[in-house]
Amino acid sequence: MPDSPLFSILIVCLNARAYVAQALDSVLAQGETSYEVLIIDGASTDGTVDIVRGYENRFGGRLRWFSEPDDGLYEAMNKGLHAATGYYVVSLGADDRLVPGALSTVAGTARSNGWPDIIAGATHVVGAAREWTQVAQRYGGNPVPKRPPAVHQSLFARRTAMLEAGGFDTTYRIAADYDQYLKLLDRGAREVLIPQVLSEFRLGGVSSSNTG
């Protein structure tokens, strides 16, 4: 079994006072407790950091945060990836949420499948006019898949494999998570897809332009 913590949950944000508490609450509601949370804040000026500070005691040492200017989403995600210590990494936007039981579901899947490099699940998508479930699926392509099997909010990847693949390429504005997925596959990553919903994100929110 991997060393603790099992999960590193990266939350990238900028001026997310209206959302970040919901993301943090969704982590606190998880039954699985072998995790750390890393907040990578881009020097917010709206009080986001004050809210994060207010949660530190509730996480009992499992919450770390950074607040400094960065050059965009993927530089921030790389900062979080290099600071993380968990076996699996998942990235959330400040307006994303893990659904109840998500971490326990992924932990059980990992244990019963020999600790695969990637575990991807379904996502509950909330749009302006409707809601739906986006299932995890393999997308065919010649010669490569046309997209990852799930949006990044529902895709858990082995941290050391991500680092060995070079992390996120910051020359991409919105597709570095797709590039990272292809690099993992190229290095022989083994993936397991599951039907359970793992996360929720709002279409049109602060992270919906980076859905994989």
Side-chain angles (χ1 to χ4, degrees):
M1 177 174 174
D3 293 334
S4 222
L6 184 53
F7 300 106
S8 291
I9 302 162
L10 312 184
I11 301 177
V12 174
C13 58
L14 175 64
N15 292 330
R17 178 183 176 87
Y19 307 103
V20 69
Q22 297 176 27
L24 291 170
D25 285 339
S26 79
V27 180
L28 286 171
Q30 298 296 309
E32 173 68 52
T33 59
S34 182
Y35 66 77
E36 62 178 359
V37 178
L38 290 89
I39 302 286
I40 307 95
D41 176 73
S44 291
T45 58
D46 70 340
T48 296
V49 172
D50 293 331
I51 292 176
V52 172
R53 283 196 187 100
Y55 273 82
E56 285 185 296
N57 289 339
R58 296 177 64 183
F59 278 93
R62 291 176 295 174
L63 171 64
R64 290 183 284 149
W65 57 272
F66 313 87
S67 184
E68 59 187 14
D70 56 52
D71 289 330
L73 173 68
Y74 294 117
E75 183 188 41
M77 289 172 70
N78 276 333
K79 287 180 183 178
L81 178 61
H82 282 87
T85 62
Y87 190 81
Y88 288 112
V89 172
V90 64
S91 300
L92 304 178
D95 60 343
D96 300 324
R97 286 182 278 186
L98 293 175
V99 303
L103 296 186
S104 294
T105 295
V106 176
T109 300
R111 294 184 181 103
S112 62
N113 286 274
W115 304 99
D117 302 292
I118 297 170
I119 298 173
T123 305
H124 182 64
V125 183
V126 180
R130 66 188 183 97
E131 302 179 14
W132 69 95
T133 297
Q134 183 171 318
V135 300
Q137 59 182 304
R138 292 184 176 87
Y139 294 88
N142 187 18
V144 296
K146 63 182 180 181
R147 61 180 299 171
V151 296
H152 62 75
Q153 296 91 338
S154 294
L155 194 150
F156 292 70
R158 182 166 58 86
R159 176 181 55 86
T160 54
M162 296 176 72
L163 290 171
E164 289 163 1
F168 297 96
D169 187 340
T170 58
T171 62
Y172 292 101
R173 188 174 67 88
I174 62 171
D177 41 359
Y178 172 55
D179 172 71
Q180 168 78 350
Y181 173 69
L182 294 182
K183 289 188 292 188
L184 290 173
L185 291 188
D186 187 59
R187 298 175 67 89
R190 183 168 63 90
E191 63 182 6
V192 172
L193 276 56
I194 59 176
Q196 293 93 333
V197 174
L198 300 178
S199 71
E200 175 183 298
F201 89 96
R202 297 185 178 276
L203 195 64
V206 297
S207 64
S208 63
S209 63
N210 299 285
T211 57

